[in-house]
Amino acid sequence: MTSSQSAAARSVAATSLADHKPHGMERLADTRLYRPFAFIGGRWRSAASGALVEVTNPANGEAIGHVPDMGREEAREAVEAAKAAFGPWRALLPQERARLLRAWHEQILAHAEDLAVLMTLEQGKPLNESCGEIAYGASFVEWFAEEARRIEGEMPMSHLPGRLMTVRREPVGVVACITPWNFPSAMITRKAAAALAAGCTVVVRPASETPFSALALAELAERAGLPAGVFNVVTGVPEPIVSELVEHPLVRAVSFTGSTEIGKRLLRQGAERMKRMSMELGGHAPFIVFPDVDLDEAVAAALDAKFQTTGQDCLAANRIYVHADIVDAFVARFARRVAALKIGDGFEDGVEIGPLMHERAVAKCAAHVADARAKGGRILTGGTSDGLFFAPTVIAGADETMDIFREETFGPVAAVFSFRDEAEVIASANDSRYGLAAYLFTRDHDRICRITEALHTGMVAVNCVKMTGHPIPFGGVRESGLGREGGRHAIHEFTDLKYVCAAYRAA
Ligand code: NAP
């Protein structure tokens, strides 16, 4: 079943939102952050058809609420609203745009706990991880509020007599942001804050599994005073809305985070209109451990790099390579730590592993485990599931014939490979269509320089796991994507260069 089919299956018949009582929203201190509507041109809207998409809590399968199932027509209206808002937004002085973005940032921080609750309800991740994501997502709004004032051009030395040459950056126009469910808030702010700072207006189409985080951000943008039409959110089954956004001539840039498969499809669609396309796609990170490191530190790092967001993370360590001299000791300690991870509802104290998002995610984990077992892998812990909860799993003795060597698992299954030398591990790590991130653990400075240069990825973490944040250019090479998010480079995704050559008379 494809994503769009699964969402379509949850679309319910034309009905009134008033007939649907939300579950779990009583946890919110500010209940107006639960917004079961789309947000277009500064108005909270239902679908013309009355159709709804049900949103469920993956921890217990209960419906937590519904959002309108908008279609092509409403997506078009959102683009037109964003286009109408573009002229005045672009005309604001940068410090005025910065002030509004700062106000949005303050609103997000002031309601961080509620935003985290909404996220755990619809995404299932442990509440402390949701809190972390809200802070992480907010940091992009703050960073780009600051960057709004530092969008600079160039004045090349003229190669022609009597000419003043300037190159400036201009906002591209309306930007469509299409985001996944694994980071329901930060993937929106990382895109939208950069686009807004550049002077663009935005239409967000959040994943149908996690629309409430996006809608709460819209509510807070409105409270912060962002003008109508500057930030729009269109909810519903993906295909018609996303197709309209990618094909509409007024949308000048598309920023997508999701699977490589859908990313390629959108690139083909966008090519017809020569759109600016930025793509943050799948990852298959190698995690390489040499014997000169502290074993317990490496084990703790592998735990972090693999199991955050229950393994549903594009940065997840999908191929753990451990030097043959220490691999037995490593897997024994690693499996012990993994077996002790606490699984459960993200609202329970101490929970470290939440539910997966879909049954197809559970099926993929189970298939990777079964395939590895059949090919000689040893399952040291886990390998079983209960509903959407998949027990964190360690596969020892993984090799390159296994599906898990080629495919992103996107779940809590850790495969440990062993290697003998540097050349072998570099060749294996690079033997992938993906190239988002890599992790390297060694104390040998020369080796760090050689391997970071040799790895074909957009990002490398050396002797650490946490590497992302607002100032860095996040993104991959190969089939992990195009373009960068975060840092100064992100502004480039949403601006065009304009060169002006002005003749002047000599005195
Ligand atoms: P996905 O299925 O590609 O979905 C991503 C977005 O595309 C969602 O909004 C989805 O809507 C929408 N979509 C689904 N089918 C579509 C269609 N036929 N036409 C148009 N839009 C469609 O990916 P996912 O499973 O949600 O996310 C997991 C993937 O994202 C993984 O590969 C992961 O590595 C990648 N990811 C990458 C980054 C990064 O920064 N590089 C960050 C996070 C995730 P629905 O959800 O409503 O189906």
Side-chain angles (χ1 to χ4, degrees):
M1 194 190 254
T2 65
S3 304
S4 73
Q5 282 167 330
S6 76
R10 292 194 311 278
S11 181
V12 294
T15 178
S16 158
L17 274 173
D19 299 337
H20 296 272
K21 294 270 175 289
H23 288 285
M25 299 301 169
E26 66 285 351
R27 291 175 182 271
L28 299 177
D30 180 346
T31 51
R32 278 187 59 82
L33 290 177
Y34 167 68
R35 299 301 267 157
F37 305 99
F39 187 62
I40 298 176
R43 290 172 49 222
W44 293 98
R45 298 264 309 269
S46 301
S49 65
L52 301 171
V53 175
E54 184 178 272
V55 182
T56 56
N57 178 343
N60 54 26
E62 279 179 9
I64 58 172
H66 295 77
V67 290
D69 184 10
M70 303 301 223
R72 270 190 176 263
E73 183 56 39
E74 286 123 330
R76 199 171 307 140
E77 287 173 34
V79 172
E80 285 161 6
K83 178 64 180 173
F86 173 58
W89 180 250
R90 167 195 189 157
L92 287 181
L93 290 170
Q95 62 268 32
E96 291 166 341
R97 278 200 297 275
R99 182 183 59 75
L100 289 163
L101 286 172
R102 271 201 309 277
W104 191 26
H105 173 246
E106 281 158 22
Q107 286 287 339
I108 294 170
L109 290 190
H111 296 88
E113 279 176 33
D114 275 350
L115 294 173
V117 165
L118 270 178
M119 191 183 298
T120 293
L121 277 173
E122 64 182 358
Q123 206 282 344
K125 63 176 77 177
L127 191 59
N128 65 331
E129 287 192 14
S130 297
C131 292
E133 184 184 333
I134 297 301
Y136 173 63
S139 75
F140 291 104
V141 182
E142 183 182 39
W143 165 269
F144 285 110
E146 293 159 356
E147 283 301 286
R149 305 213 249 187
R150 299 191 187 95
I151 301 172
E152 290 166 354
E154 296 165 20
M155 286 184 74
M157 294 290 284
S158 176
H159 63 292
L160 301 172
R163 301 283 195 283
L164 178 65
M165 296 179 166
T166 56
V167 180
R168 59 183 182 234
R169 290 201 168 273
E170 297 189 340
V172 293
V174 176
V175 174
C177 302
I178 297 144
T179 55
W181 45 262
N182 62 339
F183 288 94
S185 190
M187 294 303 99
I188 294 174
T189 54
R190 197 166 73 178
K191 296 174 186 305
L196 295 172
C200 300
T201 53
V202 161
V203 179
V204 177
R205 190 274 162 195
S208 25
E209 297 84 349
T210 56
F212 291 124
S213 295
L215 293 163
L217 286 174
E219 167 70 19
L220 295 175
E222 190 183 27
R223 291 185 198 178
L226 264 72
V230 166
F231 183 83
N232 306 275
V233 179
V234 184
T235 56
V237 169
E239 211 282 324
I241 298 170
V242 174
S243 290
E244 183 63 31
L245 295 179
V246 174
E247 290 165 12
H248 198 298
L250 289 179
V251 174
R252 292 313 316 151
V254 175
S255 180
F256 172 78
T257 297
S259 62
T260 296
E261 179 204 359
I262 302 290
K264 286 181 182 177
R265 198 183 303 179
L266 301 188
L267 270 178
R268 284 192 290 271
Q269 257 178 306
E272 279 300 311
R273 299 248 180 211
M274 209 58 80
K275 300 267 161 107
R276 296 284 288 268
M277 307 288 281
S278 20
M279 297 275 145
E280 294 293 346
L281 308 176
H284 197 35
F287 182 103
I288 304 169
V289 186
F290 280 87
D292 58 348
V293 296
D294 180 281
L295 198 56
D296 286 326
E297 282 177 19
V299 165
L303 208 73
D304 260 13
K306 177 67 228 182
F307 293 102
Q308 277 177 21
T309 323
T310 310
Q312 302 173 110
D313 189 332
C314 54
L315 297 180
N318 257 25
R319 293 168 292 157
I320 301 176
Y321 292 97
V322 184
H323 193 276
D325 288 353
I326 56 166
V327 69
D328 290 341
F330 180 96
V331 289
R333 291 187 206 189
F334 185 51
R336 245 192 335 268
R337 295 280 309 267
V338 172
L341 289 171
K342 183 172 175 189
I343 312 171
D345 186 316
F347 287 110
E348 281 171 33
D349 275 350
V351 161
E352 295 159 296
I353 298 287
L356 296 178
M357 199 74 225
H358 306 109
E359 273 163 29
R360 64 176 185 280
V362 175
K364 187 162 193 192
C365 290
H368 277 179
V369 172
D371 173 75
R373 185 183 274 128
K375 291 172 180 163
R378 288 170 292 123
I379 315 306
L380 299 187
T381 183
T384 55
S385 61
D386 177 7
L388 291 183
F389 290 93
F390 198 91
T393 302
V394 176
I395 302 170
D399 69 37
E400 296 184 359
T401 66
M402 295 175 184
D403 291 345
I404 201 163
F405 174 72
R406 297 257 159 242
E407 297 172 11
E408 184 185 22
T409 310
F410 226 55
V413 180
V416 183
F417 302 74
S418 82
F419 69 94
R420 279 255 154 239
D421 64 50
E422 207 175 296
E424 178 195 354
V425 76
I426 291 170
S428 185
N430 282 340
D431 184 10
S432 169
R433 68 185 180 122
Y434 297 108
L436 187 59
Y439 304 87
L440 171 63
F441 286 77
T442 177
R443 291 286 156 198
D444 180 329
H445 176 72
D446 293 339
R447 187 186 278 148
I448 290 171
C449 295
R450 285 191 302 270
I451 297 186
T452 53
E453 189 178 327
L455 287 170
H456 297 162
T457 60
M459 300 176 282
V460 187
V462 180
N463 294 323
C464 61
V465 172
K466 179 149 177 60
M467 60 172 141
T468 62
H470 48 269
I472 62 110
F474 188 105
V477 298
R478 298 178 164 179
E479 295 190 21
S480 285
L482 296 170
R484 292 294 180 268
E485 294 190 345
R488 284 181 299 116
H489 308 268
I491 296 282
H492 298 184
E493 305 290 329
F494 303 116
T495 50
D496 284 323
L497 289 178
K498 181 180 278 174
Y499 160 58
V500 178
C501 178
Y504 60 89
R505 289 198 193 97

